[in-house]
Amino acid sequence: GIQVEQSPPDLILQEGANSTLRCNFSDSVNNLQWFHQNPWGQLINLFYIPSGTKQNGRLSATTVATERYSLLYISSSQTTDSGVYFCAVEDSGGGADGLTFGKGTHLIIQP
Amino acid sequence: SAVISQKPSRDICQRGTSLTIQCQVDSQVTMMFWYRQQPGQSLTLIATANQGSEATYESGFVIDKFPISRPNLTFSTLTVSNMSPEDSSIYLCSVEDNGYTFGSGTRLTVV
């Protein structure tokens, strides 16, 4: 099956800093999503981005499908950005197959 | 996008017992997906539930341990059977609706 690798696995930053999280995947995809899991375990969808660039406030994401990677940018970090960020993909087979998740980036924003 | 109500949100269960988790979607969907997240780990797909047919299980998951029902297009249940402490995890349901949306999760502790 498709492989998803995220880097870095852990990241500690001061409030106000910027960060870039990377997701590499091993095969062509129909779907790529970035999620934020808060300390209570809730999974929040940040971006649905199988290709191209999107922005939502301080967050933006870029997926280069031909090179099989995606980047999540967080600017002017706040303590509430802390948590685990997951990249997840759906391979390009027909139909809805569910998502394959990377291992996540554990982000800690210190005040 | 679809809204999913998942319950219970958490439970503490005795080993050897079973727990049934419910997910209700506010719109009709063809397939529903069940995931497990073990402590400190990423999410792993357990099975795909299609209304009117038996669920399709991923490698490493079996129907006797994780029976699934899908009585209609808006509802599904996952049962964790004959629980052991190794079943302590967060269980999440998901649907595909212009990207994948997740329920709020069930945090299960087996003692």
Side-chain angles (χ1 to χ4, degrees):
Chain A
I2 195 166
Q3 306 295 314
V4 182
E5 294 185 0
Q6 291 186 243
S7 59
D10 302 281
L11 188 58
I12 301 174
L13 298 172
Q14 294 297 122
E15 201 167 21
N18 302 328
S19 59
T20 300
L21 282 56
R22 186 176 180 102
C23 173
N24 293 332
F25 44 96
S26 62
D27 208 341
S28 57
V29 298
N30 276 341
N31 177 13
L32 186 146
Q33 290 179 249
W34 284 97
F35 296 92
H36 176 215
Q37 188 168 43
N38 62 27
W40 298 270
Q42 191 174 8
L43 209 59
I44 309 297
N45 179 50
L46 299 176
F47 293 103
Y48 167 69
I49 187 164
S51 64
T53 298
K54 291 185 177 180
Q55 181 161 5
N56 183 4
R58 296 181 295 103
L59 274 60
S60 63
T62 296
T63 298
V64 183
T66 53
E67 298 186 21
R68 298 181 182 167
Y69 75 88
S70 183
L71 302 173
L72 177 69
Y73 304 97
I74 305 173
S75 64
S76 304
S77 299
Q78 302 175 358
T79 55
T80 52
D81 294 331
S82 297
V84 183
Y85 289 79
F86 288 106
C87 169
V89 303
E90 179 182 35
D91 67 29
S92 59
D97 296 322
L99 294 172
T100 299
F101 280 76
K103 293 186 177 181
T105 292
H106 187 196
L107 177 64
I108 298 174
I109 305 298
Q110 296 178 333
Chain B
S1 57
V3 176
I4 304 173
S5 298
Q6 182 173 345
K7 58 182 180 182
S9 58
R10 59 177 61 232
D11 207 342
I12 301 173
C13 299
Q14 296 292 321
R15 66 179 67 201
T17 63
S18 298
L19 176 72
T20 295
I21 302 166
Q22 300 179 4
C23 276
Q24 179 76 49
V25 190
D26 68 346
S27 58
Q28 294 185 339
V29 292
T30 304
M31 285 183 280
M32 294 181 71
F33 303 86
W34 288 96
Y35 292 80
R36 180 178 72 181
Q37 185 179 25
Q38 295 177 299
Q41 304 298 311
S42 184
L43 283 77
T44 300
L45 182 64
I46 297 172
T48 302
N50 204 348
Q51 196 266 336
S53 63
E54 280 203 1
T56 302
Y57 289 82
E58 298 298 307
S59 176
F61 297 97
V62 296
I63 187 171
D64 289 347
K65 177 66 176 178
F66 298 102
I68 288 171
S69 77
R70 186 78 202 277
N72 58 54
L73 291 173
T74 63
F75 187 78
S76 180
T77 68
L78 170 77
T79 298
V80 186
S81 303
N82 188 24
M83 289 184 286
S84 67
E86 291 71 35
D87 294 319
S88 298
S89 296
I90 298 174
Y91 294 86
L92 301 101
C93 62
S94 174
V95 302
E96 197 279 329
D97 179 20
N98 291 321
Y100 285 84
T101 300
F102 284 78
S104 54
T106 296
R107 188 180 294 268
L108 171 62
T109 302
V110 184
V111 297

